[in-house]
Amino acid sequence: MSFHPVVTYPKASFIETDTGNKVSRRATISGPQNIVLGGKSIISPGAILRGDLRKAGNAPTVVITLGRYCLVGEGVVVRPPYKTYKGAFNFYPMKIGDGVHIGDGSIVEAAQIGNYVEIGRNCIIGKFTIIKDCARIADNTVLPPNTVVPALSLFAGSPGRFIEDLPETTQEVVEARTKAHYNRFQPVEQ
């Protein structure tokens, strides 16, 4: 087991919510009334969450739901999937489970991402993709629209393809890793 040092950040550069979410002041959160953060998640600088992209109408709609202990890396773009259906252009909600890590520079337009999923750096997750629990997407992977990634599987490449099955312990490993990262991410006064 390796020792991971505390990661510090200037306290003034992040907003901490009542539920323990740490959101960078340099992140762009569009339509925050349409985004639900489950708690103890970290939204890094430069990340963009597009809650303003929703179905037409005045009714309040949850567009993006993030679970607990999610880590959204620097420069990540999270936007809901969209399509034209019966002549009408619509956005559809996106659900992201607990313990999900989205690597720096990735673009995510999935319909659903399960629990304890790791998405590498610089990935493109196509519209309406479904990623099941405990899957891993390798760095620089491009998943075409409507891809279904099975649970406990590794996908890599462009286009993303199945590489191998992951061990049954993946959930425990990813859960421990995301919780440890959150606990190590500590503010310092400046």
Side-chain angles (χ1 to χ4, degrees), residues 13 18 30 56 64 86 112 114 118 122 161 187:
S13 67
D18 292 340
S30 301
I64 299 171
K86 294 184 178 180
Q112 181 177 350
E118 292 181 304
N122 303 313
R161 290 190 171 94

Side-chain angles (χ1 to χ4, degrees), residues 4-172:
H4 295 285
V6 171
V7 177
T8 60
Y9 62 91
K11 188 172 185 174
S13 67
F14 278 76
I15 298 167
E16 187 164 353
T17 67
D18 292 340
T19 55
N21 297 304
K22 297 176 182 181
V23 180
S24 171
R25 292 184 185 276
R26 291 189 15 229
T28 302
I29 312 293
S30 301
Q33 69 277 12
N34 302 323
I35 299 172
V36 175
L37 301 178
K40 297 192 175 183
S41 293
I42 299 171
I43 311 297
S44 300
I48 300 172
L49 276 65
R50 295 296 308 267
D52 60 329
L53 303 177
R54 62 184 183 90
K55 286 186 178 183
N58 294 329
T61 306
V62 175
V63 176
I64 299 171
T65 304
L66 260 74
R68 294 175 54 79
Y69 291 104
C70 289
L71 309 173
V72 179
E74 291 189 28
V76 167
V77 177
V78 177
R79 60 181 173 232
Y82 60 88
K83 69 178 175 182
T84 302
Y85 181 70
K86 294 184 178 180
F89 181 83
N90 279 313
F91 289 97
Y92 293 83
M94 173 190 294
K95 182 172 182 347
I96 298 174
D98 295 340
V100 173
H101 180 204
I102 303 173
D104 297 348
S106 292
I107 299 172
V108 179
E109 292 185 279
Q112 181 177 350
I113 298 174
N115 298 316
Y116 311 110
V117 170
E118 292 181 304
I119 298 173
R121 294 172 178 256
N122 303 313
C123 292
I124 298 175
I125 309 300
K127 290 182 285 209
F128 296 102
T129 293
I130 296 173
I131 303 175
K132 303 284 187 170
D133 293 348
C134 304
R136 181 178 302 140
I137 311 300
D139 291 350
N140 305 309
T141 298
V142 177
L143 292 180
N146 303 307
T147 301
V148 177
V149 177
L152 293 169
S153 62
L154 170 64
F155 269 55
S158 179
R161 290 190 171 94
F162 174 80
I163 302 299
E164 66 181 358
D165 289 321
L166 297 173
E168 293 288 329
T169 59
T170 299
Q171 176 176 336
E172 290 82 13

Side-chain angles (χ1 to χ4, degrees), residues 1-4 176 180:
M1 183 175 203
S2 62
F3 172 75
H4 295 285

